[in-house]
């Protein structure tokens, strides 16, 4: 049986193993509401020491057995940490006392820690990868951003100190250089650091800079990809970014800084689906630029706001109408824009939002 399958609230748990290696197990049990006791390191060996002067193996085993029996007398569960730990008489003592015995792998113990950049996905905890969840479970420190699914963070990373480095209204974000220092400092203190980012760490997430900062400081770093909002948020509105015979490529653009004319003309020339992140502020510039470079006013456009939240909203119109309509329905960030024929595949579940844009909805329906 796995420890994660057991209800720990109010239970007394004896953890057997090296304290450093057992730190995640201890943290998880405490977070789940268990009372945790640690077995003294001498439990097995002191039996052996005194046994040497008495009467051989049997007496030593008996003494170790008695020690374990005393230690587990009033516990509900024993967890042995470390795959190769051998506590010979513990198993026998547990089965006699009918106390459940589980094993858990050791937490890594090293002088220098490590940093893991984790993609938290687009906001739905169900879209986090199993690798991300495992990294959070093993974390000592988590530095997280505004757009990550943070409500369940304490549960997902029960042994970790949680540090919010993202922007919230009225609270200034930790500057990028400050994030680099925090990552490096915590890792140099031997901690397992998770840098949790929205979507994928390498899609407009400054993940590359953070990897470079760790490498420069000699801190081991790895990246766990996440589901990017560039694909998942359109999908949440039923829009496929590619579709056979309609679009065989898609371009993901940052709207953080307006595109220049060379970029705009290349973009129009590609005839790909265009997906824009961080594009609400620069939408008027983008729409005007694409039209100026020859993209038709009739091309469908979707704006999907707050994907995967209970207030997700999809607004559908055309390139010619988008600026007026976005301002009329007060489109706000975070939102993903999709420009291209694939927008016609938007799911009917979003009809309420589509109807809001009455003229455009009719226009798209009639074509
Ligand atoms: N690394 C992230 C993107 C970071 S840029 C990723 O791969 O998804 C932040 C932008 O992502 C936002 O401005 C918005 O355009 C988009 N975004 C992220 N999550 C979103 C969501 N749940 N709904 C709508 N847009 C989202």
């Amino acid at each position: 049986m796995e420890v994660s399958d057991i209800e720990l609230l109010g239970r007394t748990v004896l953890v057997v193993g090296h304290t450093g290696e057992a730190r995640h197990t201890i943290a998880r049990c405490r977070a789940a509401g268990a009372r945790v006791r640690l077995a003294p390191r001498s439990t097995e060996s002191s039996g052996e020491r005194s046994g040497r002067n008495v009467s051989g193996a049997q007496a030593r085993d008996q003494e170790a057995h008695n020690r374990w029996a005393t230690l587990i007398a009033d516990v509900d569960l024993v967890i042995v940490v470390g795959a190769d730990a051998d506590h010979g008489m513990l198993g026998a003592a547990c089965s006699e006392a009918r106390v459940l015995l589980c094993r858990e792998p050791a937490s890594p113990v090293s002088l220098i820690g490590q940093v893991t950049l984790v993609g938290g996905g687009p906001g739905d905890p169900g879209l986090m990868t199993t690798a991300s969840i495992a990294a959070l479970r093993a974390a000592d420190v988590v530095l997280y951003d505004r757009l990550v699914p943070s409500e369940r963070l304490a549960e997902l990373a029960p042994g970790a100190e949680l540090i919010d480095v993202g922007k919230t209204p009225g609270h200034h974000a930790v500057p990028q250089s400050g994030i680099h220092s925090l990552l490096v400092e915590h890792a140099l203190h031997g901690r397992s650091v998770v840098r949790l980012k929205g979507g994928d760490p390498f899609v407009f997430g400054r993940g590359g800079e953070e990897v470079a900062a760790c490498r420069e400081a000699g801190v081991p770093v790895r990246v766990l990809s996440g589901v990017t909002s560039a694909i998942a948020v359109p999908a949440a509105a039923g829009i496929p970014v590619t579709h056979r015979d309609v679009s065989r490529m898609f371009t993901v653009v940052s709207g953080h800084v307006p595109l220049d004319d060379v970029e705009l003309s290349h973009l129009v020339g590609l005839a790909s689906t265009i997906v824009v992140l961080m594009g609400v502020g620069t939408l008027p510039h983008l729409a005007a630029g694409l039209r100026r470079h020859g993209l038709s006013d009739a091309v469908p456009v979707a704006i999907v706001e707050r994907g995967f939240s209970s207030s997700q909203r999809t607004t559908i119109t055309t390139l010619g109408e988008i600026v007026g309509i976005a301002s009329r329905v007060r489109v706000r960030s975070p939102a993903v824009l999709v420009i291209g024929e694939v927008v016609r595949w938007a799911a009917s579940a979003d009809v309420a939002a589509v109807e809001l844009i009455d003229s455009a909805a009719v226009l798209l329906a009639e074509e």
Side-chain angles (χ1 to χ4, degrees):
M1 186 183 272
E2 303 258 323
V3 175
S4 53
D5 298 331
I6 301 169
E7 171 62 62
L8 291 170
L9 184 66
R11 299 282 164 86
T12 303
V13 178
L14 179 73
V15 175
V16 181
H18 185 277
T19 326
E21 292 182 344
R23 68 189 192 284
H24 291 129
T25 301
I26 295 167
R28 263 201 309 282
C29 291
R30 288 200 172 127
R35 280 180 297 275
V36 176
R37 285 194 208 147
L38 301 175
R41 297 200 67 192
S42 56
T43 308
E44 197 83 7
S45 56
S46 59
E48 286 174 30
R49 263 200 309 279
S50 59
R52 223 167 265 142
N53 304 326
V54 197
S55 58
Q58 243 180 338
R60 288 202 300 274
D61 283 353
Q62 188 57 48
E63 193 164 340
H65 179 279
N66 293 345
R67 282 172 187 278
W68 284 122
T70 313
L71 278 170
I72 63 169
D74 57 351
V75 307
D76 301 299
L77 170 69
V78 175
I79 306 175
V80 175
V81 177
D84 48 25
D86 178 23
H87 302 283
M89 300 313 293
L90 174 59
C94 284
S95 35
E96 272 167 36
R98 294 177 176 275
V99 171
L100 201 56
L101 174 71
C102 297
R103 285 187 180 273
E104 286 233 304
S107 312
V109 181
S110 66
L111 290 178
I112 187 165
Q114 54 161 356
V115 171
T116 309
L117 267 62
V118 171
D124 177 353
L127 290 180
M128 294 182 77
T129 64
T130 49
S132 309
I133 289 171
L136 284 168
R137 232 168 122 78
D140 297 313
V141 186
V142 178
L143 278 74
Y144 66 98
D145 277 337
R146 186 174 53 108
L147 283 177
V148 305
S150 54
E151 303 98 59
R152 289 184 54 216
L153 210 46
E155 188 191 320
L156 290 170
E161 177 189 349
L162 305 179
I163 305 175
D164 177 1
V165 293
K167 278 176 239 163
T168 50
H171 167 84
H172 289 293
V174 176
Q176 192 63 33
S177 58
I179 294 175
H180 295 174
S181 312
L182 281 170
L183 291 174
V184 167
E185 274 166 30
H186 281 291
L188 290 177
H189 278 92
R191 302 197 180 106
S192 240
V193 185
V194 163
R195 171 72 177 108
L196 181 61
K197 293 168 162 293
D200 182 274
F202 279 176
V203 178
F204 308 136
R206 306 193 75 168
E209 293 162 61
E210 293 173 13
V211 167
C214 292
R215 290 206 177 122
E216 237 165 70
V219 167
V221 57
R222 65 187 178 131
V223 179
L224 300 180
S225 300
V227 172
T228 179
S229 65
I231 298 171
V233 170
I239 303 170
V241 289
T242 68
H243 194 81
R244 196 172 162 80
D245 298 333
V246 174
S247 166
R248 57 189 185 128
M249 60 184 106
F250 62 100
T251 309
V252 182
V253 178
S254 163
H256 184 57
V257 173
L259 298 185
D260 63 28
D261 275 314
V262 176
E263 290 167 326
L264 285 163
S265 88
H266 285 319
L267 201 49
V268 172
L270 274 175
S272 74
T273 300
I274 302 168
V275 178
V276 189
L277 305 192
M278 299 178 280
V280 174
T282 51
L283 175 60
H285 178 277
L286 178 72
L290 292 174
R291 293 167 76 190
R292 196 169 63 248
H293 285 274
L295 199 59
S296 159
D297 276 2
V299 170
V301 178
I303 304 182
V304 189
E305 296 168 82
R306 300 175 295 278
F308 300 97
S309 74
S310 55
S311 62
Q312 174 176 320
R313 176 173 73 163
T314 308
T315 300
I316 294 181
T317 178
T318 59
L319 184 61
E321 301 271 345
I322 186 66
V323 175
I325 285 191
S327 120
R328 197 172 109 205
V329 302
R330 295 177 203 282
V331 164
R332 294 273 174 278
S333 205
V336 173
L337 279 71
V338 188
I339 304 169
E341 293 298 323
V342 289
V343 166
R344 293 178 197 282
W345 271 261
S348 53
D350 287 302
V351 147
V354 175
E355 277 172 357
L356 194 66
I357 318 306
D358 33 25
S359 60
V362 171
L363 184 86
L364 287 173
E366 281 174 354
E367 269 180 48

